[in-house]
Amino acid sequence: MSHTGATWSRQEAERLVNTYSDLILRLSYTYLKSTEDAKDICQTVFLKLLEKPRTFASEEHERAFIIRTAVNTCKDVLKSHWRRTTVEMDAAGEVPAPQAEEGSLLAAMELLPPKYRMVLYLYYYEGYQAREIAQMLGEKPATISTRLSRGRMQLRNLLESEGLA
């Protein structure tokens, strides 16, 4: 849970990967809508941990740090020059990443702007409260509550327009 040495042991690194890989991948995919980008984010988060080991007061502190690092790394990718000036290589014929089933709640969530997708995902799929999400994302709790409310409203409108609500 917490780490006190200057470097991670192999066992501790494996524990971190086994514990958090799925969370980071799902969170990053929710934010970026790209399996390959999500894998890159996952690697980047673990590299940051391995390069600069930290001590965590609790499992919750460790988890919050990893979520915050993943979210910030996703934001960096979205802001990057490369991301803004390149297009997908659809012609490459790459096998597409598994998509959320058409008509599902996750498929509808993918249509929302990232700021709403992220808070809805953390709230409903990871079980965090608005206050905790605000702390992780460096936002005010009122901002997160507003995003949750607006995200729910947009999601409801999307589902109603598709005849699913």
Side-chain angles (χ1 to χ4, degrees):
M1 178 183 330
S2 61
H3 178 73
T4 55
T7 59
W8 294 109
S9 69
R10 180 180 179 88
Q11 182 180 2
E12 181 66 6
E14 286 176 3
R15 182 194 67 80
L16 288 167
V17 169
N18 291 334
T19 303
Y20 296 110
S21 289
D22 190 53
L23 169 65
I24 297 167
L25 285 169
R26 285 183 286 125
L27 189 63
S28 301
Y29 182 80
T30 299
Y31 207 81
L32 301 171
K33 297 197 305 191
S34 162
T35 301
E36 292 307 312
D37 286 345
K39 289 177 184 176
D40 290 345
I41 297 297
C42 195
Q43 289 177 351
T44 300
V45 170
F46 288 124
L47 281 174
K48 285 180 181 181
L49 278 170
L50 292 171
E51 288 171 351
K52 201 174 189 180
R54 292 161 175 81
T55 300
F56 300 104
S58 65
E59 189 175 318
E60 292 79 24
H61 179 234
E62 179 181 85
R63 184 178 173 89
F65 175 83
I66 287 171
I67 289 172
R68 188 171 45 250
T69 302
V71 168
N72 288 338
T73 306
C74 287
K75 287 179 180 179
D76 291 345
V77 167
L78 287 176
K79 287 188 274 185
S80 76
H81 177 72
W82 172 260
R83 177 84 176 204
R84 287 187 321 239
T85 58
T86 58
V87 293
E88 293 293 319
M89 298 212 26
D90 294 330
E94 186 176 313
V95 176
Q99 299 297 311
E101 186 178 318
E102 189 173 333
S104 74
L105 185 59
L106 277 176
M109 277 182 56
E110 288 180 6
L111 300 173
L112 297 175
K115 65 182 180 180
Y116 299 132
R117 276 197 315 264
M118 182 60 60
V119 296
L120 288 171
Y121 178 81
L122 288 171
Y123 187 84
Y124 288 107
Y125 288 91
E126 296 300 328
Y128 286 100
Q129 297 299 313
R131 174 184 44 77
E132 296 168 312
I133 296 168
Q135 202 170 25
M136 282 185 262
L137 301 181
E139 300 282 357
K140 294 178 182 173
T143 301
I144 297 305
S145 294
T146 300
R147 287 182 187 169
L148 281 167
S149 177
R150 289 179 182 165
R152 285 184 200 112
M153 189 180 318
Q154 285 189 18
L155 192 57
R156 186 177 315 120
N157 291 340
L158 283 169
L159 293 171
E160 285 173 355
S161 71
E162 296 295 320
L164 299 171

